[in-house]
Amino acid sequence: MDSMKGLKRTCYCGEVTEAGRTVTVGGFASRIRNKGGIIFIDLRDRTGLLQLVFDENTDTAVFEKAKSVRSEYVLMAQGNVRERESKNPDMKTGSVEVFVTDLRVLSKAQTTPFEIVDDLNTNEELRLKYRYLDLRRTPLMKNILTRHEIARITREYFYENGFIEIETPMMMKSTPEGARDYLVPSRVHPGSFYALPQSPQIYKQLLMISGYDRYIQLARCFRDEDLRADRQPEFTQIDLEMSFVEPEDIQGCVEGFIAKLFKEVLGKDIPLPLPRLTFADAMARYGSDKPDTRFGMEITNISCAVKDIDFVVFSEALSNGGSVRAINVKGGAAVYTRKEIDKLIEHAKGIGAKGLAYIRYADEPNCSFKKFLADGQLEAVMQATDCEKGDLVLICADKNKTVLSVLGALRLICGKRLGAIPEDKFNFLWITEMPFFEQDEETGEWVAAHHPFTMPMEECLDSLDSDPASVRAKAWDLVLNGTELSSGSMRITDPALQQRMFEALGMTDEEIQAKFGFLVDAYRYAAPPHGGMGIGLDRLAMIICGADSLRDVTAFPKVQNASELMSECPSPVDTASLEILGIKIKE
């Protein structure tokens, strides 16, 4: 193996774009083409590819060394930059090449388990097992570098706007935050545990009490919950808190950040202010509290249009306080055959619907409940749903919660099927006036929809005990293209109101003291009005990069069962280590 003594890298591969200078570059051998009397090696580093060339004018020893190079060898090369005879417009450095005068092979690679190329068909499990090799590929490297840019711009923006970056503990008291905690046993305090933070929520509120009126942190958070494409057990949150503000101040600050980020990373202008929808309106129009507004197909309440139809499905739903609603899949009749409509019906049943009625208007309107209609009633339903030739109308009748969630899901399925969702569009949306409580369907009890420090809207304070369903929170979500990026709220600063909220959630004085005693005590020493947000950096990166999964923007991600295939964690530890912690594994 060669030494790099005497050579010092002068630039990155992707920076070499002009002829007429001598450079020294280092990287991985990406592609080797030996034409006999001439050898080309594409050298790769994190900035791109650069073509190295060796020919009859190359020193014999250097040429022989070039012949020995194989894929993924680590090289350093020094040489003169010259114009390429055959230019490659697909490469940033495609108009130049380096005629190598000194070549060093710093490290040799054995044959890799898969080829390090952009378009790869290899099984994802294999790529995750050899993640350090997968990360060499340009698409993943581009994503990781974009994520770095997001982090850099985040810090710059919030620093410029008077925020202070403060780190909060990674080991903290276990407090209820909505998901299971990851617990860390204490050696010094046998039988006691730290928790990894689900968010820095309590600490950032304490920082407001301490007088640090604008806090920011790129915080690592941990939640022991089932994984999916947009969820990992550990994630990064752009965490912020502000004092002496109203919700509009926090939202305006975040809007400025979003505009700066998308302009600098993607060159996209995001119109401000961002649109707003109340939670109730979002559910009524889109059947989701995180609606994708890049396409229409909104939900229509057709209860009035069907109330006189002698169809038990409709009449039962209405008599039980529910509703009959529909979506019009414009142009859907040409795409959805009867067989495909049956699949939609089965899907609807799988997510809670008792069934699904429809009108498919191809040559003639074909209505699934036609035999129950009197004269003029089909026309009334078609008018209420704006049904024209070529359309498919899907109708659901049930309690409102079921109807909205089912049609919201079908709306997304049909939108994707018809290609109605533009991939290059970024639709941000604030969802405001979130419900303060949500009802447990099994027990019927009302539980907090947010953390217990969320401020209710003033006009709802009198309804806390008498009508919990009507209580709205000073809380909001930031949604992008159907993905929730962030949640935020104003916090309760009045100890008496906080006590009332704990009691409304069924907590005893002993529970309050055990779980939140230190925070309750802190508020007795006065606190400025404050609120904040936590923006999911991972999800933001996933959307900006056009990735399908958080795994594509995370350097070393976990898989579905929360394990990491490369290091094979989690893994057992020896009995001696467990004994020190006072832990015994139960078989």
Side-chain angles (χ1 to χ4, degrees):
M1 226 72 71
D2 294 330
S3 163
M4 56 182 287
K5 186 176 180 181
L7 286 186
K8 186 176 180 63
R9 184 166 65 177
T10 60
C11 56
Y12 285 94
C13 292
E15 296 172 346
V16 182
T17 56
E18 294 182 2
R21 61 173 176 146
T22 299
V23 297
T24 304
V25 289
F28 297 91
S30 179
R31 186 180 175 212
I32 302 110
R33 288 156 290 155
N34 189 336
K35 305 291 187 180
I38 186 167
I39 298 172
F40 298 101
I41 297 175
D42 287 343
L43 193 67
R44 182 191 69 244
D45 64 18
R46 65 182 171 93
T47 64
L49 296 169
L50 177 63
Q51 180 170 284
L52 309 180
V53 62
F54 309 80
D55 58 23
E56 69 275 2
N57 297 313
T58 302
D59 178 84
T60 302
V62 172
F63 192 89
E64 287 301 312
K65 194 177 292 184
K67 284 170 64 177
S68 72
V69 171
R70 298 293 178 265
S71 179
E72 298 307 307
Y73 278 24
V74 176
L75 311 176
M76 283 196 78
Q78 186 177 73
N80 304 314
V81 185
R82 67 189 189 188
E83 296 282 346
R84 281 175 66 162
E85 290 185 10
S86 178
K87 293 181 171 44
N88 184 349
D90 296 329
M91 284 175 62
K92 182 182 175 183
T93 62
S95 62
V96 296
E97 62 188 12
V98 175
F99 175 73
V100 178
T101 56
D102 190 354
L103 178 69
R104 311 281 177 90
V105 177
L106 302 183
S107 184
K108 294 182 179 181
Q110 65 184 37
T111 302
T112 54
F114 52 83
E115 197 175 359
I116 313 298
V117 293
D118 293 356
D119 299 318
L120 192 62
N121 249 343
T122 302
N123 176 287
E124 187 183 29
E125 287 191 7
L126 182 64
R127 290 193 291 114
L128 287 170
K129 181 174 175 60
Y130 296 94
R131 186 63 167 182
Y132 44 86
L133 296 177
D134 200 28
L135 284 168
R136 293 182 187 178
R137 297 190 307 112
T138 301
L140 266 184
M141 187 167 283
K142 184 179 178 182
N143 288 353
I144 297 300
L145 295 177
T146 298
R147 184 186 171 116
H148 160 73
E149 279 298 290
I150 293 170
R152 178 187 64 79
I153 292 165
T154 299
R155 285 193 164 95
E156 287 179 359
Y157 174 82
F158 286 104
Y159 291 171
E160 289 166 3
N161 282 275
F163 285 77
I164 303 164
E165 185 165 10
I166 305 175
E167 293 182 345
T168 53
M170 294 292 280
M171 295 193 299
M172 57 181 285
K173 183 182 179 69
S174 179
T175 57
E177 288 248 11
R180 286 182 297 273
D181 285 329
Y182 279 103
L183 299 176
V184 180
S186 170
R187 175 186 59 82
V188 181
H189 304 278
S192 294
F193 295 81
Y194 302 99
L196 300 181
Q198 293 186 36
S199 78
Q201 184 62 49
I202 291 177
Y203 286 105
K204 67 179 180 179
Q205 290 182 234
L206 289 168
L207 287 169
M208 297 302 104
I209 296 172
S210 302
Y212 298 90
D213 66 303
R214 288 195 166 201
Y215 142 91
I216 183 71
Q217 181 182 192
L218 269 61
R220 294 295 284 168
C221 305
F222 307 83
R223 293 183 182 180
D224 185 5
E225 55 189 358
D226 295 333
L227 271 63
R228 58 191 186 203
D230 64 347
R231 182 187 285 168
Q232 282 277 306
E234 50 190 324
F235 57 96
T236 301
Q237 187 165 285
I238 302 169
D239 200 51
L240 61 114
E241 196 82 4
M242 302 169 69
S243 291
F244 303 104
V245 290
E246 293 290 344
E248 294 75 19
D249 301 314
I250 301 171
Q251 292 161 8
C253 183
V254 170
E255 286 183 356
F257 163 63
I258 291 295
K260 176 182 174 73
L261 179 67
F262 274 72
K263 184 65 175 177
E264 291 197 22
V265 176
L266 293 177
K268 296 275 187 183
D269 290 310
I270 304 297
L272 299 180
L274 300 179
R276 284 164 167 72
L277 266 185
T278 64
F279 173 88
D281 287 343
M283 292 302 297
R285 291 172 59 182
Y286 301 102
S288 171
D289 60 356
K290 47 180 185 295
D292 190 336
T293 59
R294 288 175 294 174
F295 67 110
M297 219 179 288
E298 293 186 20
I299 298 170
T300 304
N301 190 335
I302 61 170
S303 298
C304 289
V306 304
K307 62 183 175 61
D308 295 324
I309 295 176
D310 188 19
F311 183 31
V312 68
V313 174
F314 293 168
S315 58
E316 276 191 2
L318 295 175
S319 63
N320 291 330
S323 60
V324 182
R325 304 182 193 235
I327 56 171
N328 185 342
V329 184
K330 285 289 181 184
V335 175
Y336 281 97
T337 62
R338 175 57 194 271
K339 187 176 181 181
E340 291 201 343
I341 293 173
D342 287 342
K343 290 180 182 177
L344 288 179
I345 294 172
E346 288 306 309
H347 184 81
K349 289 179 179 178
I351 54 177
K354 294 170 185 171
L356 198 66
Y358 66 86
I359 302 170
R360 180 175 180 265
Y361 192 171
D363 297 323
E364 296 291 336
N366 179 16
C367 177
S368 65
F369 51 99
K370 186 176 181 179
K371 65 182 179 180
F372 301 101
L373 296 173
D375 288 345
Q377 289 182 331
L378 177 58
E379 288 75 13
V381 175
M382 291 174 65
Q383 184 176 356
T385 57
D386 188 30
C387 180
E388 302 171 319
K389 191 169 184 177
D391 295 346
L392 170 68
V393 175
L394 302 175
I395 303 170
C396 187
D398 209 317
K399 55 187 179 183
N400 290 334
K401 185 176 181 181
T402 300
V403 169
L404 293 173
S405 64
V406 167
L407 290 179
L410 294 179
R411 175 180 176 267
L412 292 174
I413 291 170
C414 295
K416 291 174 183 175
R417 179 76 171 81
L418 267 67
I421 307 177
E423 296 292 332
D424 60 346
K425 198 172 182 182
F426 296 97
N427 275 25
F428 287 91
L429 180 68
W430 291 110
I431 304 295
T432 62
E433 300 185 29
M434 309 291 285
F436 194 90
F437 296 103
E438 57 188 11
Q439 194 168 28
D440 187 304
E441 292 189 2
E442 292 184 6
T443 65
E445 293 182 357
W446 290 95
V447 296
H450 315 276
H451 59 70
F453 318 111
T454 302
M455 182 73 182
M457 299 186 81
E458 283 82 358
E459 62 267 30
C460 298
L461 290 176
D462 293 337
S463 305
L464 284 175
D465 303 313
S466 60
D467 187 12
S470 70
V471 180
R472 289 163 290 130
K474 275 194 177 179
W476 56 88
D477 285 350
L478 180 61
V479 173
L480 171 57
N481 294 354
T483 296
E484 179 193 320
L485 286 183
S486 171
S487 291
S489 71
M490 298 301 295
R491 323 304 189 189
I492 297 172
T493 55
D494 177 2
L497 178 58
Q498 184 65 76
Q499 179 72 20
R500 188 178 166 195
M501 294 311 307
F502 284 142
E503 290 172 356
L505 295 170
M507 296 178 68
T508 64
D509 289 342
E510 291 76 16
E511 286 179 303
I512 295 166
Q513 189 60 36
K515 294 175 179 176
F516 304 112
F518 63 100
L519 183 62
V520 172
D521 290 344
Y523 274 109
R524 295 195 177 105
Y525 293 95
H530 59 273
M533 295 183 66
I535 306 168
L537 189 149
D538 313 73
R539 290 185 180 180
L540 197 54
M542 183 178 79
I543 292 174
I544 286 175
C545 294
D548 295 324
S549 166
L550 290 182
R551 292 193 293 271
D552 295 330
V553 294
T554 304
F556 299 102
K558 306 292 189 293
V559 294
Q560 187 68 36
N561 64 0
S563 66
E564 187 206 289
L565 300 182
M566 182 189 69
S567 65
E568 298 182 337
C569 76
S571 57
V573 296
D574 58 77
T575 304
S577 297
L578 293 175
E579 287 176 351
I580 290 173
L581 296 169
I583 292 175
K584 185 174 182 180
I585 302 299
K586 184 178 179 181
E587 295 297 335

